[in-house]
Amino acid sequence: MTDTLIELTGITKVLKGQEKPRTILDGVTLTVRAGESVAVVGRSGSGKSTLLSIVGLFDRADEGRYLL
């Protein structure tokens, strides 16, 4: 049995301070279990920093569930 450390389900984040709202994360689901290593990769502007800010509790998702 592997213990789940972090579980994100349906995480959505929308930036609303610009001309029109911009979806940064759209329904992200991620599970990290004890002993696993995870790398977050992607092109510039793809939402990596936003995702890590939510995981680190520096920001809140607009929708979805986060279990720590």
Side-chain angles (χ1 to χ4, degrees):
M1 181 173 148
T2 306
D3 295 323
T4 299
L5 299 178
I6 299 171
E7 184 176 1
L8 307 175
T9 306
I11 297 295
T12 299
K13 181 69 176 178
V14 179
L15 292 182
K16 299 173 183 146
Q18 302 170 6
E19 292 177 19
K20 61 180 182 175
R22 182 172 161 224
T23 302
I24 303 300
L25 301 173
D26 188 11
V28 173
T29 298
L30 170 71
T31 301
V32 179
R33 292 181 175 85
E36 288 185 329
S37 296
V38 176
V40 179
V41 296
R43 61 186 170 95
S44 179
S46 63
K48 300 178 303 290
S49 295
T50 301
L51 176 64
L52 293 175
S53 290
I54 291 170
V55 170
L57 302 176
F58 294 109
D59 200 357
R60 299 183 84 171
D62 295 320
E63 294 180 22
R65 184 178 76 162
Y66 177 17
L67 298 173
L68 175 63

